[in-house]
Amino acid sequence: MTLLDIFPSLRASTVPRLDPAVWPADTHYDGDGRITLGGVALHDVADQYGTPVRVIDETEVRERCRAYRKHFPDIEIVYAGTALMVGAVARWVADEGLSVQVGSSGELSVALAAGIDPRRIVLHGNGKTLDELRTAVRCGVGRIVVGSLTEITLLTALATQPQQVLLRIATGIDVPGAGQFGFPLGSRSFETAVARIAGRCNMQLVGLHCHLGPQIHDPDHYGEAIRRMIGEMSWIDHEYGLLLSQLDIGGGHAVALRGGDAELNLRELADILDDALDAGCARHRFPRPVLTMEPGRAIVARAGITLYRVLAVDETAGGGTRVIVDGSGCGGRSRGHGGALVVNRHPIGPRMTASVAGKHSESGALIATEVRLPTDLRPGEVLALPCTGAYHHGSATTYSTVGRPPMVAVADGHTRQLLRRETTADLLMRELGE
């Protein structure tokens, strides 16, 4: 029994411990001390759908789309679907006026099945295969980003009518922790790529594309990319008479995974992009191109929460505390989170610092570290890990022959299952026998 049970009036004066940097805006404690999202108690979601389970807040996704449209009214916003490619999410972002980027035939299939107009789809990724390019051409994908001479050769053989393409460029901008793919600016391979496309009637070079890296919080990097790429667009115009009209600066917008993490400020970014376009175009006397950006993580990361049920609370060899839950990390993407909370009650007593590990974790792989949890945490209680909307679904594996968790959308007090739980029967279907 807690003080909240003895003195219910304390609930009204208790300050919620929900960091707005990592939790969806609509997350709060209800009158019973439970964490709710979209008008639904997360503990009820765990009971209804089992754990682990991924919860996605539809309103948060839509509001993030609207924030981008507000800050960048003259820029095309393309949702980077690799962050979370689920049919319902693709429909939400399309409803909000965004185009959709896909990075594989599978992601393309999901987008098409969701009813996304193929003309609003952008295909790119490193090392696209013949089958991926063939599928994109047959489906009428609006734009294809090419990053190698091989891809240009394949498209030359596949396209039966002018296919809009963008060249992926490695800008040479030093972004910490990033490795850029594409044609290096000013390189022989870049010049060769332009020449090959310019000489083909079944390919239409419409612009340049770059992706500077993940988790970028300094907007100046994007401004410098624009200035450099406009210089190359001007060179292409002078050399080949091709006036490129599109400039895609990719995504990589930083979001907070823990309280205090740096994020990309959209207002500052808008100012820097506008100034960079003015400066670059004035310097090279080049007409202002249409700018495109591709946020993915920034759209869905904070909208996602993963629920786990506590299996055990153990003492580690070093004297610390480790909480074992009925799930696992997702390809390492979830490590380092520090905001896990108990969802079934609002504890106000003593806390402990603990790490959270999945039941199938090996070699010290943890779901979260340095988590502040109640000292009376018990098996059977439910923990929520915030900011798991991006990449966690795509990075999930069937390690230890355990099926991937379901995904449930919440909105206006209702739940809707978007993906069912992967069962052992699903995994056995791949067995061909002897």
Side-chain angles (χ1 to χ4, degrees):
M1 179 174 292
T2 67
L3 285 176
L4 288 179
D5 297 318
I6 301 173
F7 302 108
S9 61
L10 287 176
R11 291 196 178 99
S13 60
T14 302
V15 178
R17 299 184 299 273
L18 297 173
D19 188 342
V22 295
W23 293 88
D26 189 40
T27 316
H28 62 275
Y29 287 96
D30 66 10
D32 295 322
R34 303 178 303 173
I35 296 179
T36 68
L37 176 60
V40 179
L42 293 178
H43 188 265
D44 291 343
V45 176
D47 284 346
Q48 180 177 356
Y49 297 98
T51 54
V53 57
R54 304 200 193 286
V55 183
I56 188 85
D57 180 10
E58 178 180 347
T59 300
E60 183 76 20
V61 172
R62 291 183 180 275
E63 287 299 324
R64 292 301 298 167
C65 292
R66 293 167 189 170
Y68 271 93
R69 295 302 320 140
K70 175 184 176 181
H71 283 92
F72 309 101
D74 300 320
I75 295 177
E76 180 189 18
I77 309 300
V78 179
Y79 169 63
T82 300
L84 178 62
M85 181 49 72
V86 177
V89 176
R91 285 191 292 271
W92 299 342
V93 300
D95 288 346
E96 299 300 331
L98 275 61
S99 301
V100 177
Q101 170 260 312
V102 298
S104 68
S105 294
E107 291 180 1
L108 175 58
S109 297
V110 172
L112 293 173
I116 307 302
D117 185 343
R119 294 172 295 181
R120 296 177 61 188
I121 296 177
V122 179
L123 171 70
H124 73 71
N126 303 322
K128 290 178 284 294
T129 66
L130 175 64
D131 287 341
E132 287 173 335
L133 292 171
R134 179 186 291 117
T135 300
V137 169
R138 288 179 176 176
C139 292
V141 163
R143 283 158 290 175
I144 297 176
V145 180
V146 294
S148 70
L149 296 176
T150 299
E151 291 178 3
I152 295 174
T153 300
L154 293 176
L155 270 179
T156 300
L158 292 170
T160 57
Q161 56 186 357
Q163 171 66 58
Q164 290 192 358
V165 299
L166 295 93
L167 279 183
R168 181 165 182 170
I169 304 301
T171 63
I173 298 172
D174 184 17
V175 178
Q180 296 181 29
F181 292 86
F183 299 99
L185 285 180
S187 66
R188 179 176 299 179
S189 61
F190 170 74
E191 296 177 2
T192 301
V194 175
R196 288 189 182 181
I197 297 176
R200 298 293 177 179
C201 61
N202 61 345
M203 279 191 286
Q204 180 185 2
L205 182 61
V206 296
L208 301 183
H209 175 285
C210 72
H211 181 67
L212 301 181
Q215 288 290 77
I216 298 173
H217 57 80
D218 184 352
D220 286 331
H221 291 313
Y222 295 101
E224 179 60 23
I226 287 174
R227 289 186 287 270
R228 294 187 185 188
M229 293 170 73
I230 287 179
E232 295 304 316
M233 294 169 78
S234 177
W235 174 83
I236 292 172
D237 183 26
H238 291 153
E239 289 292 319
Y240 294 94
L242 293 176
L243 185 61
L244 307 188
S245 61
Q246 300 181 30
L247 199 167
D248 190 330
I249 58 173
H253 300 175
V255 300
L257 299 180
R258 303 176 68 123
D261 284 355
E263 294 187 277
L264 183 65
N265 185 297
L266 297 188
R267 182 176 299 175
E268 292 180 4
L269 177 62
D271 291 340
I272 285 176
L273 296 185
D274 196 53
D275 290 344
L277 279 172
D278 286 343
C281 291
R283 178 180 179 183
H284 297 283
R285 298 181 180 180
F286 191 81
R288 194 180 180 102
V290 175
L291 201 62
T292 300
M293 65 172 62
E294 300 176 346
R297 187 197 314 262
I299 297 290
V300 296
R302 196 174 70 172
I305 291 174
T306 303
L307 303 179
Y308 302 97
R309 198 170 295 275
V310 175
L311 300 179
V313 181
D314 298 329
E315 183 179 356
T316 66
T321 302
R322 180 167 297 170
V323 178
I324 308 298
V325 297
D326 60 352
S328 61
C330 307
R333 296 269 185 178
S334 57
R335 297 183 199 176
H337 282 273
L341 291 176
V342 179
V343 305
N344 48 287
R345 59 189 172 105
H346 187 187
I348 60 174
R351 295 190 188 185
M352 60 183 176
T353 300
S355 58
V356 180
K359 61 183 294 187
H360 306 293
S361 298
E362 300 289 348
S363 303
L366 301 173
I367 293 175
T369 59
E370 299 180 0
V371 179
R372 297 291 290 168
L373 293 170
T375 56
D376 61 347
L377 184 69
R378 301 179 298 272
E381 295 196 276
V382 178
L383 297 184
L385 187 71
C387 210
T388 58
Y391 299 107
H392 286 67
H393 165 67
S395 298
T397 70
T398 56
Y399 178 73
S400 199
T401 319
V402 175
R404 291 167 290 188
M407 180 174 294
V408 176
V410 293
D412 301 322
H414 300 285
T415 64
R416 179 164 62 98
Q417 188 168 206
L418 306 182
L419 297 172
R420 65 171 176 81
R421 187 179 303 279
E422 192 172 31
T423 66
T424 302
D426 293 325
L427 302 179
L428 287 175
M429 288 179 65
R430 301 185 65 215
E431 293 279 349
L432 298 179
E434 297 181 1

